[in-house]
Amino acid sequence: PTAEELLLPSLRLTIRLGSARLPDSGDARKTFLLALERLAERAHDVELLMLVVKTAGSWIVAPPGAPPNLQPKERASLLLKLGCVEATSAPRLHAAYLAVAARVLADESLPGREMLLPNPPRGTPSTAATSGPLRLEAGLLLGLRSRDAATRRAFSAHLSRAVGGSVAHRIAHVISSNENDP
C-alpha cells in the first residue's frame, strides 16, 4: 500500500485512540483538540469528517462534568470549526453537524452555549431582537436551507426565538449585526 492509502485509516485510528484517552491526556489535550479543529477545516474525506463530527459532537453536547469534561470555550471553538462541513456536498455530514448544532441551540444548560448565541439588549426579554450576530450563524443558516422539512422547522423556530418572530425584529437584527464599513 502507498502512503496515501495508509494515511486515512491511520488518522481514523488516531482519532479513536486519542478520543478515548482525552480525559487523561493532560497537556496533550489542547494539541489533540486543535488537531481535530484543523481536520474539520481542511479534510476532504467524508468518512473522516463524519468521525470528527461524531466524536467532537458527542463531547460538545455532553452534560457538564462528563468525560472529557470540555471547558465552555473548548466546546464553542469545536462547534464553530465543525461548521466548515458546510463546504462539503455530503448530506449525511450536514445532517450529523446539524444534529449537534440543534442540540446546542435547544439545550440551555450546555456550558459554552452563551458563547455561540447573541446577548439581547439590556432591558429586553431574550425573545426580542438581539444586539449581536449569531456566532453559530453558519449552522443556523445551513439548518434553514436543509432539505429535511423537520430540520428547517426546528431551526426556523430557534431563529424566531433568538431574533424575534416579526419581520420588524428580523430586519432590526440584520441591520444591527451588519458589519459593512461605510
Side-chain angles (χ1 to χ4, degrees):
T2 65
E4 288 182 19
E5 292 172 343
L6 294 174
L7 180 63
L8 289 174
S10 297
L11 283 172
R12 288 187 196 107
L13 182 61
T14 301
I15 292 170
R16 286 187 189 104
L17 291 174
S19 65
R21 295 182 162 271
L22 192 62
D24 305 322
S25 61
D27 294 337
R29 172 189 174 117
K30 185 175 182 179
T31 304
F32 187 77
L33 292 174
L34 286 173
L36 274 183
E37 289 178 4
R38 296 302 175 260
L39 277 174
E41 288 177 323
R42 297 180 181 158
H44 299 289
D45 183 72
V46 173
E47 294 306 317
L48 179 63
L49 286 170
M50 280 294 291
L51 180 61
V52 170
V53 168
K54 286 181 179 182
T55 302
S58 68
W59 299 337
I60 291 166
V61 299
N69 196 19
L70 296 182
Q71 299 301 314
K73 187 175 179 179
E74 293 171 328
R75 290 176 192 250
S77 179
L78 270 173
L79 186 60
L80 291 173
K81 295 297 181 177
L82 290 181
C84 294
V85 303
E86 182 181 8
T88 67
S89 60
R92 278 185 16 205
L93 187 56
H94 290 175
Y97 169 70
L98 289 175
V100 175
R103 286 269 314 267
V104 169
L105 292 171
D107 189 350
E108 295 182 11
S109 69
L110 284 177
R113 182 180 184 274
E114 66 280 355
M115 294 180 180
L116 299 166
L117 303 174
N119 297 320
R122 288 183 193 189
T124 60
S126 62
T127 57
T130 56
S131 63
L134 291 165
R135 285 177 254 166
L136 188 51
E137 194 170 298
L140 183 66
L141 294 176
L142 185 60
L144 292 171
R145 291 191 312 262
S146 174
R147 291 183 180 191
D148 180 44
T151 302
R152 277 194 316 272
R153 269 193 304 276
F155 279 88
S156 181
H158 175 73
L159 181 66
S160 292
R161 282 191 309 272
V163 176
S166 73
V167 173
H169 281 128
R170 290 180 185 207
I171 290 173
H173 172 73
V174 169
I175 291 171
S176 68
S177 63
N178 191 354
E179 296 179 7
N180 291 338
D181 292 330

